[in-house]
Amino acid sequence: MDCLTQTLASGTSMKNVFTYGSLMYPEVFEPVALVSPSSQRARLDGWSRHAIRGRTYPAAVPAADSRIDGVVWMGLDGESLQRLDRFEGSEYQRVPIIVTLPSGEHIAAEIYRWLDRDCILDQDWSQDEFERCHLPDFFRIHGA
């Protein structure tokens, strides 16, 4: 079985999803997707992460000479992907990418790309600030 996109005997396609903001945290990801898949740290080259005006979650957009460190969740089924799509809403579009694992292996995944560049601030989203100020209540406020 190819680890880029796993396929079950039933023909259901399983996908990996790279997360770079609130969905990096199991306490947000798992209640949204209603699964507890395996995950690991990953790097995405050629993209940048940004703070968004008036929001506690980030945006990711393609950007040469940039990279995002995040978490890749492995082997998600169609129902879990639909739940994630609903959670992310119309502000994001799920698109295919290639991420690099700590081992150096490259795998296919999908990322939620931010669509409205006018809202993006010219600064990275602060993971430390999110953990300190927003993570404890994030799912309660923005939950699925």
Side-chain angles (χ1 to χ4, degrees), residues 121-137:
L121 301 176
D122 193 24
Q123 65 192 44
D124 191 1
W125 174 76
S126 172
Q127 189 171 344
D128 290 337
E129 180 182 339
F130 178 78
E131 289 174 2
R132 232 181 21 260
C133 303
H134 305 291
L135 180 58
D137 293 322

Side-chain angles (χ1 to χ4, degrees), residues 111-125:
I111 187 173
Y112 285 94
R113 174 185 182 168
W114 182 257
L115 297 174
D116 184 3
R117 287 186 175 257
D118 292 339
C119 296
I120 295 175
L121 301 176
D122 193 24
Q123 65 192 44
D124 191 1
W125 174 76

Side-chain angles (χ1 to χ4, degrees), residues 27 33-34 36 50 62 82 94-96 100-101 103 107 125 135:
E27 59 265 54
L34 296 180
S36 299
H50 298 269
Q82 287 176 1
R94 188 164 36 95
V95 298
T100 305
L101 302 179
S103 66
I107 65 166
W125 174 76
L135 180 58

Side-chain angles (χ1 to χ4, degrees), residues 4 12 15-16 32 35 51 55 60 79 82 86 91 95 101 106 111 116 131-132 142:
L4 295 179
T12 304
K15 297 190 177 186
N16 306 320
V32 169
V35 293
R55 311 276 174 52
E79 289 181 19
Q82 287 176 1
R86 280 192 302 272
E91 297 177 318
V95 298
L101 302 179
H106 299 281
I111 187 173
D116 184 3
E131 289 174 2
R132 232 181 21 260
H142 300 283

Side-chain angles (χ1 to χ4, degrees), residues 32 79-90 112 144:
V32 169
E79 289 181 19
S80 296
L81 292 168
Q82 287 176 1
R83 287 185 195 101
L84 291 168
D85 290 347
R86 280 192 302 272
F87 177 77
E88 293 293 27
S90 61
Y112 285 94

Side-chain angles (χ1 to χ4, degrees), residues 19-20 85:
T19 59
Y20 54 88
D85 290 347

Side-chain angles (χ1 to χ4, degrees), residues 42-107:
R43 182 185 78 235
L44 175 59
D45 295 316
W47 285 68
S48 60
R49 180 177 65 186
H50 298 269
I52 305 170
R53 185 175 26 260
R55 311 276 174 52
T56 60
Y57 48 87
V61 293
D65 302 324
S66 293
R67 76 179 233 192
I68 301 173
D69 292 317
V71 172
V72 64
W73 299 90
M74 311 298 257
L76 299 173
D77 65 18
E79 289 181 19
S80 296
L81 292 168
Q82 287 176 1
R83 287 185 195 101
L84 291 168
D85 290 347
R86 280 192 302 272
F87 177 77
E88 293 293 27
S90 61
E91 297 177 318
Y92 294 90
Q93 177 185 26
R94 188 164 36 95
V95 298
I97 53 164
I98 301 293
V99 297
T100 305
L101 302 179
S103 66
E105 178 183 8
H106 299 281
I107 65 166

